[in-house]
Amino acid sequence: MKFGVVVFPGSNCDRDAFHVLKDLLKQPVRYLWHKETDLRGVDCVILPGGFSYGDYLRTGAIARFSPIMTEVIRHAERGGLVLGICNGFQILTEAGLLPGVLMRNANLQFICENVSLRVENNQTLFTKHYAPNTVVTMPIAHGDGNYFSDEETLKRLEGEGRVVFRYHPRNPNGAIHDIAGIMNEKGNVLGMMPHPERCSEVLLGNEDGRRLFESLID
């Protein structure tokens, strides 16, 4: 499995994701500058957390038009794997690869803390190393993590098992149906607000995120 971590102006979790893949899991990984127009043969694209383009206008709205996003969309349409974390999740919704929007947190404040999540669907390419209904702890750090979609979309997400992670028992940001992560219809694109790359090694006191990356590799 070859990974590519996209770097936008303002990305700040690109090196964390790169470190987990290269140093902890010993996988081939390369950075992909946002102006590139070639994914250079990677199998899985990671859109990392951060504040692309300063999150001006609307989170992810400018990054969606970076040259590399054209190739990321083509990659996803071909069935290639795409993982969007935090700002990456916001970019995926702006790009139309995932439905819905990420709005300001309900309390209108930036939230940085550890939260509990329930793995709602462990039958995915991203979560198969988690046991059913496992509750894990991951950090969040965002001001715009309040997921919202219209009723019809929400019904489809729930009915098709596309809600992959749900805040449990406490919802920190007001996301509808406590949604913390969703995937696309094909199951090859996942967006999530929590940061698995920040909890993937013993040194950090938590390895709950590691199983997500191991699921992708296996």
Side-chain angles (χ1 to χ4, degrees):
M1 179 71 72
K2 298 177 183 176
F3 290 87
V5 180
V6 178
V7 182
F8 299 97
S11 295
N12 65 12
C13 298
D14 43 343
R15 294 190 179 188
D16 301 284
F18 192 94
H19 165 69
V20 170
L21 293 165
K22 181 177 185 295
D23 301 321
L24 300 182
L25 299 176
K26 311 301 181 187
Q27 297 299 304
V29 55
R30 65 171 70 236
Y31 289 117
L32 296 168
W33 182 235
H34 73 115
K35 287 190 175 181
E36 293 188 50
T37 56
D38 185 349
L39 296 183
R40 292 190 280 172
V42 305
D43 304 298
C44 179
V45 177
I46 295 180
L47 305 182
F51 302 90
S52 57
Y53 297 91
D55 276 348
Y56 294 117
L57 182 62
R58 189 175 61 244
T59 53
I62 301 176
R64 176 262 177 274
F65 292 102
S66 284
I68 200 164
M69 286 306 298
T70 299
E71 292 307 311
V72 172
I73 292 170
R74 288 174 180 163
H75 177 73
E77 290 174 346
R78 291 193 299 265
L81 293 169
V82 181
L83 169 62
I85 302 169
C86 196
N87 194 217
F89 185 11
Q90 295 158 347
I91 296 169
L92 288 175
T93 60
E94 289 291 336
L97 288 175
L98 289 175
V101 296
L102 279 306
M103 306 189 302
R104 292 291 305 277
N105 295 337
N107 64 5
L108 302 182
Q109 296 180 352
F110 188 89
I111 302 172
C112 182
E113 62 183 28
N114 285 319
V115 298
S116 293
L117 308 169
R118 188 170 60 220
V119 180
E120 293 290 289
N121 184 350
N122 73 330
Q123 301 298 308
T124 81
L125 295 171
F126 302 88
T127 56
K128 58 191 177 187
H129 276 215
Y130 293 98
N133 296 314
T134 297
V135 175
V136 299
T137 299
M138 292 190 191
I140 58 170
H142 58 245
D144 300 82
N146 183 356
Y147 181 78
F148 180 81
S149 71
D150 60 68
E151 282 297 324
E152 183 178 347
T153 300
L154 189 60
K155 187 175 180 180
R156 288 191 63 193
L157 289 173
E158 295 283 7
E160 296 171 1
R162 291 163 55 189
V163 176
V164 180
F165 295 105
R166 205 185 304 270
Y167 299 111
H168 174 80
R170 186 179 65 84
N171 181 338
N173 53 31
I176 192 167
H177 282 208
D178 304 325
I179 288 174
I182 60 171
M183 64 181 181
N184 67 341
E185 192 171 1
K186 291 180 180 176
N188 61 310
V189 178
L190 172 71
M192 59 189 297
M193 289 311 297
H195 287 265
E197 80 282 9
R198 293 185 183 178
C199 54
S200 291
E201 59 183 316
V202 174
L203 184 64
L204 299 176
N206 180 359
E207 291 185 287
D208 284 351
R210 182 177 179 130
R211 277 174 282 173
L212 185 144
F213 295 104
E214 290 176 336
S215 295
L216 287 169
I217 295 166
D218 188 8

